[in-house]
Amino acid sequence: MSDSTPFDAPNAGYVQALWEEYSKNPEALPEEWRNYFSRGPAAPAADGLIAPDGLAGNGYRGTVAESPAAAIRPAPPTAPGTGKPPAPTPPSLEIGSDLSRTVAESPELRQLLAMVARATSLVQAFRDHGHRLSAIDPLGSPPPGHPQLDPEFFGLSMNDLEHIPTSVVLRRETDESLAETLVRMREAYCGSIGYEFEHMADPEKVEWLWEQVESGQHVAPLPDALKVALLERLTHVEGMERFLHRAYLGQKRFSIEGNDALVPMLDVAVEEAARQGAAEVIIGMAHRGRLNVLAHVLGADYAEFLRSFENMPHGETSLTIPDEGTGDVKYHHGARGMYQLPEGGSILVSLAPNPSHLEFVNPLVAGYARVRQFDEGDMDVTPDHRRVLPVVIHGDAAFAAEGVVAETLNMSRLQGYDVGGTLHIIANNQIGFTTDPSEARSTQYASDLAKGFDIPILHVNADDPQACLAVTRIAMQYRDRFNDDVVIDLMGYRRHGHNEGDEPGYTQPELYAKISEHPTAREIWARTLLEDGVLEQESVDGMVEGLQSMLRDIQDRLKEIKAGAEEPA
């Protein structure tokens, strides 16, 4: 179908079916469709449809030529109100008429064109529904699938597709057959990443996303040095949580475990923002994973957290805590820190304090970013949206349930509130406190609210760290190009209970039996590097032990300080 035809790929098939029915039984169609098809085969052909077999030859069901009155030749037509002959038939209609006659005279061509039309629908089905076949659940639940992702749904086989050049269906210069391209489409749309953007109304955005996804440029494998660096990052993320879990058993910290990839994803977001010209990144988030983000993205010292767990007063700290304290818990505090960039230099990263526990911080982050995007507070000039990147990390249950999320999204494109796009990351635990998703929302995904605001959604398996970095890169490129919001649905799980004092096996025994046996993201990535020969087991073990040794040394020093302070003078 060309851009000038009135039918797009999905509804063209519907209208084609109506034409097929009309050729057999016109009375079965509503009057408006009978009128449309009764104009003759040239008109539907000009609109991109293919003449049914029943219309080949001289007869055309339902046309004036079939009636006895047609034997009386009418006077030549005139243009209304002029008495003159009407304007010549546009060239496009003449071409359509010629094509219709050619198709009618060639059953082979008619069959080929029908096959191309069905193949076009198959390609579009992967763009529409590929996410329903993607492996985005790290716990291995089977994807729901969709019947249109099977060529047989459209009456096609892989052998048929081998005889169709890709360039006939897609605007792409390639010698591949459609069978080869379909394999690539399946890899692109049905792997560890699931894409949802066909709901968007802006064709420029959709076509840009097609190009990014189908070219595969953002999912190229990392070089070995970056693979090792990613393992080191995951080792620190997991190692801090495991140390705290052993050393301070039962103390609340709202562990990040199960969504460990969030930290390296934030690394990519911060570094990409700096390359795009940002001077600051402002992050808003709830409690889960907050301590890990403070330590590894904002650079807060491990000793600062251990002081909190040891019930010791804070010394010099990057946390936004006044000398007299706040009376709030450690996993609500904010901070500011300088993130050291790999190319050299640094960028300011701020984490907004969030005493509300969940999503109330969202409009505060947007407002803070908006103010900071003006040059030194000069509100009379246009804000520089590249100057500050707002990032909001949501909970899966909260994103779907809390009204402040929709309210903030609704204001995101208004002239007085626009921040040039917010990067949203849903840290998806697949559970809300003790409630399963099927009992918490009426939609398939936690992210479905964003569809109502024409926001692209990128679902990703949290146990595939390379894919997590890839979706963050494409999200940042999208925000930079279109100055608009984007949502990443980081599909993970919650290794412990709602907090570390809860026993989740009481309420979700089957789920937590599975989680207890499931390897961590670090273990899965380490195994991948070992199998690929990138690292030896000794190096992997050394990373783990090195961090644990450092944390034990910090804890021992703090205990000595604490014991000395408690001794009587």
Side-chain angles (χ1 to χ4, degrees):
M1 306 296 293
S2 71
D3 291 340
S4 62
T5 58
F7 308 121
D8 59 23
N11 64 32
Y14 170 71
V15 180
Q16 183 71 47
L18 290 178
W19 200 6
E20 298 275 356
E21 180 62 26
Y22 180 84
S23 70
K24 302 171 186 173
N25 181 18
E27 297 305 319
L29 269 63
E31 181 180 359
E32 59 269 24
W33 284 111
R34 293 201 303 272
N35 293 339
Y36 173 74
F37 293 121
S38 69
R39 296 180 298 166
D47 288 340
L49 303 179
I50 301 168
D53 292 343
L55 302 187
N58 297 324
Y60 185 70
R61 187 182 300 274
T63 64
V64 176
E66 290 182 334
S67 66
I72 304 174
R73 182 178 298 276
T78 59
T82 66
K84 298 179 181 180
T89 302
S92 60
L93 293 182
E94 292 180 354
I95 293 171
S97 180
D98 292 342
L99 176 62
S100 180
R101 285 194 295 271
T102 302
V103 170
E105 295 168 359
S106 173
E108 294 81 5
L109 180 58
R110 187 162 58 249
Q111 182 179 6
L112 176 60
L113 289 177
M115 190 181 299
V116 169
R118 294 195 295 270
T120 302
S121 297
L122 175 61
V123 168
Q124 186 60 39
F126 273 88
R127 292 167 168 172
D128 287 332
H129 308 299
H131 61 93
R132 293 178 61 87
L133 204 58
S134 57
I136 57 176
D137 182 5
L139 299 178
S141 65
H146 195 282
Q148 291 185 11
L149 299 176
D150 187 343
E152 291 185 2
F153 179 89
F154 297 99
L156 295 169
S157 67
M158 292 303 288
N159 184 59
D160 294 330
L161 299 176
E162 288 173 358
H163 293 86
I164 302 176
T166 293
S167 56
V168 172
V169 176
L170 298 173
R171 289 180 294 182
R172 188 178 301 169
E173 295 296 328
T174 177
D175 295 330
E176 284 187 342
S177 71
L178 198 56
E180 295 171 294
T181 298
L182 193 64
V183 172
R184 297 181 187 277
M185 294 283 285
R186 188 182 182 97
E187 292 173 351
Y189 285 101
C190 307
S192 295
I193 305 170
Y195 301 92
E196 286 192 282
F197 50 79
E198 292 296 327
H199 57 276
M200 296 164 59
D202 189 334
E204 182 184 356
K205 293 177 180 178
V206 172
E207 290 191 19
W208 185 86
L209 287 163
W210 283 348
E211 173 62 26
Q212 298 302 308
V213 174
E214 292 166 21
S215 68
Q217 53 189 307
H218 66 289
V219 294
L222 297 171
D224 286 354
L226 291 182
K227 290 180 180 178
V228 174
L230 177 55
L231 178 61
E232 290 175 340
R233 199 61 159 162
L234 292 172
T235 299
H236 280 77
V237 171
E238 177 187 301
M240 172 182 161
E241 298 287 2
R242 291 201 164 186
F243 179 84
L244 293 175
H245 195 65
R246 289 194 302 269
Y248 305 100
L249 185 64
Q251 283 205 40
K252 295 180 183 180
R253 68 181 191 280
F254 296 97
S255 161
I256 200 173
E257 291 168 278
N259 272 307
D260 307 55
L262 176 62
V263 167
M265 290 170 71
L266 289 174
D267 289 336
V268 170
V270 171
E271 292 165 14
E272 285 292 319
R275 295 186 190 104
Q276 293 165 3
E280 182 177 358
V281 176
I282 170 69
I283 301 174
M285 66 184 299
H287 48 293
R288 186 157 312 284
R290 192 179 188 88
L291 297 183
N292 224 298
V293 170
L294 282 166
H296 296 120
V297 181
L298 283 90
D301 193 274
Y302 288 133
E304 297 182 43
F305 302 113
L306 296 188
R307 279 180 175 272
S308 296
F309 283 96
E310 292 286 347
N311 296 315
M312 297 173 65
H314 287 279
E316 293 293 325
T317 177
S318 64
L319 303 176
T320 53
I321 305 173
D323 292 339
E324 66 275 14
T326 63
D328 205 350
V329 292
K330 62 181 76 69
Y331 39 81
H332 286 173
H333 293 148
R336 292 162 66 87
M338 299 304 296
Y339 183 97
Q340 301 304 310
L341 299 167
E343 300 91 349
S346 59
I347 181 173
L348 175 64
V349 180
S350 303
L351 178 65
N354 187 15
S356 76
H357 211 50
L358 291 174
E359 301 287 333
F360 195 74
V361 76
N362 299 0
L364 303 180
V365 169
Y368 178 92
R370 172 82 181 183
V371 170
R372 299 284 290 175
Q373 287 173 350
F374 286 94
D375 185 15
E376 300 300 328
D378 183 357
M379 306 301 284
D380 294 328
V381 299
T382 302
D384 180 0
H385 290 147
R386 286 190 171 186
R387 185 184 180 93
V388 179
L389 168 70
V391 180
V392 179
I393 301 166
H394 308 268
D396 50 315
F399 190 87
E402 293 203 5
V404 70
V405 179
E407 292 164 356
T408 307
L409 291 176
N410 189 50
M411 299 176 74
S412 64
R413 298 189 186 101
L414 301 185
Q415 185 175 0
Y417 303 89
D418 179 18
V419 294
T422 297
L423 174 62
H424 301 269
I425 303 176
I426 300 175
N428 196 329
N429 300 314
Q430 303 192 66
I431 191 171
F433 192 29
T434 60
T435 305
D436 293 326
S438 61
E439 298 177 339
R441 62 176 186 263
S442 299
T443 61
Q444 179 182 357
Y445 296 117
S447 56
D448 282 341
L449 169 69
K451 291 181 182 178
F453 298 94
D454 268 12
I455 298 172
I457 302 166
L458 315 175
H459 309 277
V460 64
N461 187 321
D463 275 357
D464 187 341
Q466 279 198 118
C468 292
L469 302 191
V471 296
T472 310
R473 283 192 293 270
I474 193 173
M476 288 299 297
Q477 291 165 13
Y478 177 89
R479 192 254 180 189
D480 185 54
R481 182 179 179 92
F482 297 108
N483 290 322
D484 206 0
D485 288 31
V486 59
V487 171
I488 298 175
D489 180 17
L490 178 62
M491 289 285 292
Y493 56 92
R494 190 184 68 195
R495 184 160 288 276
H496 305 292
H498 176 66
N499 64 63
E500 286 69 29
D502 293 339
E503 174 45 66
Y506 289 137
T507 53
Q508 275 81 22
E510 294 181 358
L511 174 63
Y512 275 87
K514 181 184 294 186
I515 289 174
S516 67
E517 299 296 325
H518 187 72
T520 67
R522 182 202 66 83
E523 291 168 342
I524 293 170
W525 185 239
R527 185 168 63 232
T528 298
L529 300 193
L530 291 171
E531 292 172 352
D532 292 346
V534 176
L535 280 178
E536 299 293 334
Q537 185 66 53
E538 182 179 358
S539 299
V540 174
D541 295 341
M543 290 182 191
V544 175
E545 180 52 38
L547 177 67
Q548 296 302 310
S549 177
M550 179 180 68
L551 291 171
R552 286 194 297 269
D553 290 344
I554 294 171
Q555 184 189 40
D556 290 344
R557 288 199 303 270
L558 291 176
K559 287 184 178 294
E560 290 175 4
I561 294 170
K562 184 178 180 180
E566 292 174 350
E567 290 179 0

